[in-house]
Amino acid sequence: MAKVFAAIALTIVMLGIIGITGVFFVQSSQNKAIGYEEQVKQSWSKIDVYQKRRTDLLYELADAVKEYDKHEAEVFIETIKARGGAMTTRDVKLALGAVHEQYPQLQSQKNYQNIMTEMAMSENKLAQVRDAYNISITEYSRYIRKFPTRLFLDMCGYVAVQYDYLKYESSADAPKNLFGNMKD
């Protein structure tokens, strides 16, 4: 009788251990799914940050270029006035040459190049975080649809979140070559 009682007790203990292990395994599946959800949310947040950075950068750089252009225009006008005041095309070309010789620090062309470089870097980083967002959606979706994870999540009452992948398509009417050929 003692052997039967010991076998029953051992069976109960083993079932208890298996049950507790099962609960932990099921719960860890839900925790991992929640972690993937948070990863998707974090990726989306980075997109917002870089879109704001791009907008802020564009306005700041455009303002800086406008101010520098204004300064150079004033220098050109003063140079032309100093040469006699007539503003013909020939005089403007001569003034441009004189300004270049006398004022080599005038570099609005470099400012335009810098703004384009900064914008390109910003767009590249934005493309990277968009790609990271899509990757995080793929990881999340793959995890919640796998067997047996899907069953465990259903047991817990976990509700899967549906995310849409980002698509980036350049529109045909997007502005191109806004500043013209910078090398001329």
Side-chain angles (χ1 to χ4, degrees):
M1 186 63 133
K3 287 184 178 183
V4 173
F5 182 69
I8 292 172
L10 184 60
T11 303
I12 291 173
V13 169
M14 292 300 285
L15 288 175
I17 291 172
I18 291 171
I20 289 172
T21 304
V23 167
F24 280 114
F25 190 71
V26 168
Q27 189 59 45
S28 72
S29 295
Q30 184 175 8
N31 290 343
K32 193 168 182 179
I34 290 169
Y36 279 127
E37 271 185 54
E38 291 303 316
Q39 191 177 25
V40 171
K41 289 176 186 177
Q42 181 184 27
S43 295
W44 182 253
S45 175
K46 285 181 181 180
I47 291 171
D48 283 343
V49 167
Y50 280 101
Q51 285 177 332
K52 182 176 180 343
R53 178 188 182 277
R54 176 182 59 182
T55 301
D56 292 347
L57 180 67
L58 178 62
Y59 287 119
E60 288 174 18
L61 291 172
D63 287 344
V65 169
K66 284 180 195 176
E67 287 300 314
Y68 207 84
D69 279 353
K70 182 177 160 185
H71 167 71
E72 282 193 5
E74 290 170 1
V75 170
F76 290 149
I77 290 170
E78 291 301 318
T79 302
I80 290 170
K81 285 180 182 176
R83 290 186 168 228
M87 294 184 79
T88 66
T89 304
R90 181 177 177 279
D91 289 334
V92 171
K93 287 180 182 177
L94 288 172
L96 287 173
V99 168
H100 179 69
E101 291 169 10
Q102 295 174 5
Y103 301 99
Q105 73 275 12
L106 298 179
Q107 301 178 13
S108 64
Q109 178 180 350
K110 287 184 182 178
N111 289 338
Y112 286 113
Q113 290 171 336
N114 289 341
I115 194 172
M116 295 305 291
T117 300
E118 285 294 325
M119 289 305 298
M121 288 174 21
S122 183
E123 288 298 319
N124 289 340
K125 188 62 179 173
L126 188 55
Q128 289 173 353
V129 295
R130 284 177 175 153
D131 189 45
Y133 174 77
N134 285 341
I135 289 169
S136 65
I137 290 174
T138 300
E139 290 173 354
Y140 170 74
S141 298
R142 186 178 298 142
Y143 181 76
I144 64 170
R145 291 190 328 233
K146 284 191 309 187
F147 180 82
T149 305
R150 179 180 63 240
L151 296 175
F152 296 151
L153 292 175
D154 287 343
M155 279 191 249
C156 291
Y158 178 81
V159 178
V161 179
Q162 294 299 320
Y163 295 102
D164 292 327
Y165 288 94
L166 293 178
K167 296 177 184 170
Y168 182 76
E169 298 169 1
S170 181
S171 64
D173 60 342
K176 292 177 180 60
N177 201 16
L178 294 175
F179 297 118
N181 190 350
M182 298 301 294
K183 294 185 176 151
D184 290 335

